[in-house]
Amino acid sequence: MWFWVWTLLGVGTLVGAFFLARDLWHKAKGLMGELARASEVVGQASERIGEAAARAAETPAPLPTLFDDVTVHYERVAAQRAARGERRTARRARNEATWQKWKQFND
């Protein structure tokens, strides 16, 4: 009698181990597929980053130095201030348009 109990337990364990191993195998295959896809995406991203870095290296931004003429610095600052003023004016106009919409909605 005990022989059949232990035999049944052993066979049940082997069947359970088979299903567990099969499940783990399928999950491992899925993981390997996703890792392959992730490595392709990382490769594409690194290519794009390399291209962007190359483009950025080709067109260096003119940076001010201590040896430049002072008038060049003043002109650059004046241009930046004018651009900032234009952006401020445009932002103010957008905000006023939004406020008018809100005001019409609340009336």
Side-chain angles (χ1 to χ4, degrees), residues 12-88:
T13 301
L14 291 175
V15 169
F18 167 75
F19 285 117
L20 178 63
R22 187 180 69 168
D23 184 52
L24 289 175
W25 175 254
H26 288 295
K27 288 181 181 180
K29 281 179 37 179
L31 176 64
M32 291 301 151
E34 286 298 317
L35 287 176
R37 191 175 68 81
S39 67
E40 290 174 5
V41 170
V42 168
Q44 292 171 354
S46 66
E47 289 174 5
R48 289 177 40 207
I49 290 171
E51 292 170 0
R55 280 193 310 255
E58 290 174 358
T59 57
L63 299 175
T65 64
L66 292 175
F67 304 110
D68 286 343
D69 188 17
V70 177
T71 57
V72 173
H73 293 295
Y74 289 142
E75 291 171 359
R76 184 177 291 130
V77 169
Q80 289 175 346
R81 286 180 179 162
R84 185 175 58 209
E86 292 172 5
R87 289 192 308 266
R88 182 183 302 129

